[in-house]
Amino acid sequence: MLGSLPSFDRLVAELSKLPGVGGKTAARLAFHLLRAPQADTDALADALREMKQKVAFCSHCFHITETDPCAICNDPSRDGRLCIVQEPQDLLAIERSHAFHGRYHVLHGALSPLDGIGPEELKIAPLLERLRQEQVEEILLATNFTVEGEATALYLARLLKPLGMKITRLAHGIPMGSDLEYIDTATVQQAVDSRRDF
Amino acid sequence: MLGSLPSFDRLVAELSKLPGVGGKTAARLAFHLLRAPQADTDALADALREMKQKVAFCSHCFHITETDPCAICNDPSRDGRLCIVQEPQDLLAIERSHAFHGRYHVLHGALSPLDGIGPEELKIAPLLERLRQEQVEEILLATNFTVEGEATALYLARLLKPLGMKITRLAHGIPMGSDLEYIDTATVQQAVDSRRDF
């Protein structure tokens, strides 16, 4: 961009690689960092290096962690349920809800044959290994409600049914605080089909 | 956010300080960086450190530069005009237009009494010092067309008029490729007032 400023251009190029950051945003961020106090930019660079050094995936549930096994796997107060999610972010969303107090297994993706993602690309083999060794009362399938997430849930349900455990899936329905008028037909349909006594 | 992951939380906190990056975006960026190859995150941290080390402001025109004076100040092919802009980004926008081949002076802001920004906060004293020493044929005021930018242009025009140089301002008018229907009234008014022979 600037010809005579290779180090500035390089930072803009590196920032442009971040998701959702285009050339203009990268330039804006770089100008901000140029003006920011040295202590702030050092803190950012250090935080990045330290995170890369310390954070890895739990060898047991594949959540992100600084210790192995992770704090959740190590927590003796967790009950015998196992929640299966696509990504660590999904696990965090369920933890924030405080509605589940079992353990987790992170698949790191969902089945997507068009993208070349089959069962071998996901953490399904370690899941089966876990289920051979651990006492699990219930498996809650919490993959996303997208085509890939639903396909993954269906695949896992078929795979795990023979093991004789209770298998559940997150409920479909109308989100809290929403207006029926603006909810898509398929969701309304599901909500009517799954209506409950009141 | 994650309790047991201080280094991840720290990176999210540092990323949240960037302009336009909220908590959710910061977490998304951090997850991306977690999965990115070590070489990529090292390149980003290095680029940030190197930029902070090498890039500074030109002591002459206050544009960003790795050499002092900057490449534009040092360029003997530049003509005797001087363009005054608010920020280095504005200078770059004019350079990209290839319509101006003089030198620049970057004010690093615009007058804004409500924010406590008076003439002393801008690079106006060094500008007057420059004008005492340099031969300048024309001063092109290219501050933004906002209230603060216009006020700054007016202030500078009054300050510089007594020095006897030709003082110009970027033209107001209809932007290229635009539809009159959607242009605000004040701009149409200016475009009619400044109409030219055709």
Side-chain angles (χ1 to χ4, degrees), chain B residues 110-118 121 148:
Chain B
L111 295 175
S112 177
L114 285 177
D115 302 317
I117 299 175
E121 275 69 44
E148 292 81 8

Side-chain angles (χ1 to χ4, degrees), chain A residues 2 7 10-11 19 31-36 46 49-52 55 64 66 87-89 92 108, chain B residues 2 7 10-11 19 31-36 46 49-52 55 64 66 87-89 92 108:
Chain A
L2 291 163
S7 68
R10 199 179 133 215
L11 178 60
F31 272 112
H32 168 86
L33 291 165
L34 174 66
R35 285 169 210 276
D46 289 343
R49 276 192 212 281
E50 197 186 306
M51 187 277 286
K52 285 301 271 189
V55 179
I64 57 171
E66 289 190 13
E87 303 290 348
Q89 295 94 308
L92 297 172
H108 285 277
Chain B
L2 291 163
S7 68
R10 201 180 132 216
L11 178 61
F31 272 112
H32 168 86
L33 292 166
L34 174 65
R35 284 168 210 278
D46 289 343
R49 277 191 211 282
E50 197 186 306
M51 185 277 285
K52 285 301 271 190
V55 179
I64 58 172
E66 290 190 13
E87 304 290 348
Q89 294 95 307
L92 296 171
H108 285 275

Side-chain angles (χ1 to χ4, degrees), chain A residues 1-2 4-8 10-11 14-15 17-21 24-25 27-57 63-67 71 87-89 92 96 108, chain B residues 1-2 4-8 10-11 14-15 17-21 24-25 27-57 63-67 71 87-89 92 96 108:
Chain A
M1 181 183 69
L2 291 163
S4 59
L5 282 167
S7 68
F8 193 86
R10 199 179 133 215
L11 178 60
E14 291 298 333
L15 289 169
K17 292 180 188 167
L18 296 173
V21 177
K24 288 212 169 180
T25 306
R28 194 162 50 88
L29 292 175
F31 272 112
H32 168 86
L33 291 165
L34 174 66
R35 285 169 210 276
Q38 179 83 38
D40 283 15
T41 59
D42 283 352
L44 176 58
D46 289 343
L48 178 55
R49 276 192 212 281
E50 197 186 306
M51 187 277 286
K52 285 301 271 189
Q53 266 168 25
K54 291 195 178 169
V55 179
F57 296 110
H63 185 41
I64 57 171
T65 179
E66 289 190 13
T67 58
E87 303 290 348
Q89 295 94 308
L92 297 172
R96 277 197 298 273
H108 285 277
Chain B
M1 179 183 72
L2 291 163
S4 59
L5 282 166
S7 68
F8 192 86
R10 201 180 132 216
L11 178 61
E14 291 299 333
L15 289 169
K17 291 181 188 166
L18 296 173
V21 177
K24 290 213 167 177
T25 306
R28 192 163 50 87
L29 292 176
F31 272 112
H32 168 86
L33 292 166
L34 174 65
R35 284 168 210 278
Q38 181 82 37
D40 282 14
T41 59
D42 283 352
L44 176 58
D46 289 343
L48 178 53
R49 277 191 211 282
E50 197 186 306
M51 185 277 285
K52 285 301 271 190
Q53 266 168 25
K54 292 195 178 169
V55 179
F57 296 109
H63 184 42
I64 58 172
T65 180
E66 290 190 13
T67 56
E87 304 290 348
Q89 294 95 307
L92 296 171
R96 276 196 298 273
H108 285 275

Side-chain angles (χ1 to χ4, degrees), chain A residues 142-167:
Chain A
T143 53
N144 287 334
F145 287 86
T146 56
V147 175
E148 292 81 8
E150 294 277 23
T152 309
L154 210 65
Y155 175 87
L156 288 175
R158 284 193 189 149
L159 192 70
L160 304 178
K161 262 283 151 51
L163 304 181
M165 277 162 287
K166 183 180 173 189
I167 297 179

Side-chain angles (χ1 to χ4, degrees), chain A residues 97-197:
Chain A
S97 77
H98 295 291
F100 179 83
H101 203 69
R103 291 193 171 79
Y104 294 88
H105 192 84
V106 183
L107 296 174
H108 285 277
L111 295 175
S112 178
L114 285 178
D115 301 317
I117 299 175
E120 309 74 38
E121 274 69 45
L122 307 179
K123 304 294 183 191
I124 291 179
L127 171 65
L128 296 176
E129 185 58 35
R130 259 183 98 166
L131 293 176
R132 262 192 289 277
Q133 296 173 1
E134 279 173 54
Q135 190 67 25
V136 171
E137 292 160 20
E138 176 186 335
I139 290 183
L140 170 54
L141 298 172
T143 53
N144 287 334
F145 287 86
T146 56
V147 175
E148 292 81 8
E150 294 277 23
T152 309
L154 210 65
Y155 175 87
L156 288 175
R158 284 193 189 149
L159 192 70
L160 304 178
K161 262 283 151 51
L163 304 181
M165 277 162 287
K166 183 180 173 189
I167 297 179
T168 56
R169 177 92 171 104
L170 287 183
H172 265 307
I174 315 289
M176 295 287 284
S178 56
D179 214 326
L180 273 185
E181 184 180 354
Y182 301 112
I183 302 291
D184 66 294
T185 323
T187 301
V188 175
Q189 218 164 40
Q190 288 274 359
V192 172
D193 289 348
S194 315
R195 68 191 177 281
R196 54 192 188 120
D197 291 329

Side-chain angles (χ1 to χ4, degrees), chain B residues 81-86 90 94 100 103-105 107 124 127 131 138-145 149-161 166-172:
Chain B
R81 288 175 297 168
L82 186 71
C83 177
I84 300 182
V85 293
Q86 287 180 211
D90 303 330
I94 294 177
F100 179 82
R103 292 195 170 80
Y104 295 89
H105 191 84
L107 296 173
I124 291 179
L127 170 65
L131 292 175
E138 176 185 336
I139 290 182
L140 170 54
L141 298 172
T143 53
N144 288 334
F145 286 85
E150 294 277 23
T152 310
L154 210 64
Y155 175 87
L156 288 174
R158 284 194 189 147
L159 191 71
L160 303 177
K161 262 279 150 53
K166 183 180 173 191
I167 297 180
T168 55
R169 176 94 172 105
L170 287 183
H172 265 306

